[in-house]
Amino acid sequence: MKKSLFILSILSLLLSCNQEVSVEQEPILEHGTFPQKLPNEKPNFKLSAALNRLYDNYPAPKPQKNELFSQFKYTDIKGFDYNNHDGTISRRDPSKVIFHDGKYYVWYTYRNTPTPPQGAAKCTDIIPSSDWDLAEIWYATSTDGFTWEEQGVAIKRPKKPIVGWRAVTTTDILQWKGKYYLYYQGFMEASGKRGDDCPVAVSYADSPNGPWTPHNKIVIPNGGEGSWDQYSIHDPYPLVHNGKIYLYYKSDFGKKGAWIRMQGLATADNPLGPFTKHPQNPVISSGHETSLFPFKDGIAALVYKDGNEHNTVQFAKDGVNFEIASITEMMPYAAAPFVPDAFTDTKDGRGITWGMAHFIALGGKGKFHSMLTRFDCDLSQDLHDPEMKEPRVNYTPEDYFKRSLSKKQLRRIKKGNSALTKR
Ligand code: AAL
């Protein structure tokens, strides 16, 4: 008897708990008036698709309060010579910035060739096909991030046929168990011969100042026949997450001249590999160079230039399933942020406030080259800079008119007009 009473009271307790749960989940009302003051929480009545998205997809309904929304500002940095921008010297594709022994460090693609790039058909052993053909990896240091001192070469091109003999480019840095690792694109044919085909190689050192020991092996191989990353593994970008090395990369695929660009993830327990490509690759559908940083308990990505989701900042709690967290503009290309917690395996990533990037296709035909720049932003939990959170950029009429119609477009419009007026 006593036993059955006990069971009954447990059952009634469970039932009352259930009732409490159902009371908390208020039913969504069919109608409601959206209030004057923008609610921080999603209102409890039926909303349009856009308003559902506003509350379900973004960290905050207002960009000013969205920690993953920022504008970007640019500064012309000091310390780099470009031979009067005649196209013989190029610096591009910087690595993320790290801080070591009182100084910031950045590595980048450096080309110093007798002529500017001449295209794949005209390239030789000393004449480059593209802006990053025949390049090496150089580095620079700075105490303020505005004035840089170039330190010289970090990774030279090895002898043929070692991976990277034609060019070593587009590097990024990892710190792991007291050692430093530079991952980079190792070209074994001039870029542009078929596409921009290369795998990833790595060198390691005890200090960011080197000397760097080349591993001389491919560490992230291209994908198998018919796969999205069959030909190119670009922009290797390592972070430490969940106790592992999370290395993001981009690949070009599709057709020459109409490349599709997406980003994948490869993880490892050892910096020299083996790296396991994620079964859900590609994990980011858009963008060009890789640019990611730990944010809160996940990973945030700057996505720009290519694809449907360019000009967005994205976030994935698991580093795999990225969602759009904000839409922005004038994003830095080849963005290489200063990421103080890139290698700490943090569960509370603090975000970024500045970094390096590049401007490409400078100088026009015959002087083609790129240069490094600094960008600033507020994608940080610790900074609250209202100027960076202003959703509107004020462009001048001159800015707009720089984007004038091409001759081809003008001809099309003229043709359309005359067809209409002749009727
Ligand atoms: C860049 C990067 C890679 C490509 C080329 C040089 O901006 O995506 O490095 O190979 O363009």
Side-chain angles (χ1 to χ4, degrees), residues 57-72 293 295-296 300-302 311-315 324-331 351-353 376-381 383-393:
N57 297 17
Y58 297 100
K62 275 169 88 171
Q64 288 87 344
K65 290 270 160 68
N66 180 348
E67 275 172 321
L68 285 179
F69 171 77
S70 183
Q71 291 296 349
F72 297 90
F293 55 93
F295 194 75
K296 297 192 171 166
L302 303 181
N311 282 350
T312 62
V313 180
Q314 306 201 7
F315 177 76
I324 295 174
S326 77
I327 300 168
T328 180
E329 62 196 301
M330 272 193 103
M331 294 184 82
I352 58 163
T353 62
D376 281 81
C377 63
D378 177 1
L379 293 168
S380 158
Q381 292 199 65
L383 181 70
H384 301 287
D385 180 345
E387 279 184 72
M388 292 295 189
K389 296 286 178 185
E390 196 45 62
R392 200 183 297 174
V393 174

Side-chain angles (χ1 to χ4, degrees), residues 175-391:
Q175 189 188 352
W176 179 262
K177 299 191 175 160
K179 278 197 190 302
Y180 294 84
Y181 297 83
L182 280 176
Y183 295 87
Y184 44 89
Q185 298 179 195
F187 284 89
M188 290 175 285
E189 64 175 40
S191 162
K193 284 267 181 205
R194 285 178 302 167
D196 192 21
D197 301 356
C198 62
V200 166
V202 65
S203 289
Y204 51 89
D206 291 329
S207 146
N209 299 309
W212 295 90
T213 307
H215 183 49
N216 280 343
K217 281 184 194 143
I218 292 172
V219 72
I220 317 276
N222 295 103
E225 172 107 35
S227 59
W228 74 290
D229 57 357
Q230 177 180 356
Y231 296 114
S232 60
I233 305 279
H234 290 165
D235 305 273
Y237 189 97
L239 291 173
V240 177
H241 188 62
N242 284 341
K244 281 181 181 287
I245 299 156
Y246 271 49
L247 186 142
Y248 292 89
Y249 64 92
K250 169 262 258 170
S251 189
D252 290 356
F253 59 107
K255 279 197 188 130
K256 198 172 182 174
W259 298 116
I260 308 280
R261 296 189 168 99
M262 295 194 187
Q263 302 179 37
L265 167 65
T267 59
D269 296 310
N270 181 329
L272 301 181
F275 277 85
T276 309
K277 292 187 185 172
H278 198 278
Q280 277 165 263
N281 275 349
V283 296
I284 296 181
S285 73
S286 306
H288 194 110
E289 297 91 5
T290 46
S291 177
L292 303 100
F293 55 93
F295 194 75
K296 297 192 171 166
D297 53 351
I299 294 197
L302 303 181
V303 180
Y304 44 81
K305 235 177 177 175
D306 291 312
N308 265 336
E309 295 185 354
H310 68 277
N311 282 350
T312 62
V313 180
Q314 306 201 7
F315 177 76
K317 203 172 151 81
D318 60 0
V320 175
N321 290 289
F322 283 87
E323 299 282 357
I324 295 174
S326 77
I327 300 168
T328 180
E329 62 196 301
M330 272 193 103
M331 294 184 82
Y333 287 174
F338 169 47
V339 190
D341 50 12
F343 316 123
T344 60
D345 198 10
T346 177
K347 297 283 175 284
D348 187 22
R350 305 310 299 174
I352 58 163
T353 62
W354 71 278
M356 301 286 273
H358 68 198
F359 296 127
I360 59 164
L362 307 175
K365 222 178 164 194
K367 290 188 176 181
F368 198 83
H369 69 289
S370 307
M371 66 185 268
L372 299 177
T373 181
R374 172 188 165 116
F375 73 90
D376 281 81
C377 63
D378 177 1
L379 293 168
S380 158
Q381 292 199 65
D382 302 316
L383 181 70
H384 301 287
D385 180 345
E387 279 184 72
M388 292 295 189
K389 296 286 178 185
E390 196 45 62

Side-chain angles (χ1 to χ4, degrees), residues 116-188:
Q118 304 289 309
K122 290 194 194 150
C123 73
T124 67
D125 285 350
I126 53 161
I127 304 294
S129 64
S130 69
D131 194 22
W132 53 97
D133 187 28
L134 297 173
E136 299 180 318
I137 291 159
W138 280 40
Y139 76 116
T141 58
S142 170
T143 50
D144 63 3
F146 289 94
T147 300
W148 291 84
E149 255 178 68
E150 190 153 70
Q151 303 293 334
V153 69
I155 313 285
K156 286 190 179 141
R157 290 159 53 202
K159 289 215 167 71
K160 207 171 172 177
I162 297 171
V163 55
W165 66 266
R166 178 73 200 185
V168 286
T169 80
T170 325
T171 193
D172 211 278
I173 184 91
L174 168 73
Q175 189 188 352
W176 179 262
K177 299 191 175 160
K179 278 197 190 302
Y180 294 84
Y181 297 83
L182 280 176
Y183 295 87
Y184 44 89
Q185 298 179 195
F187 284 89
M188 290 175 285

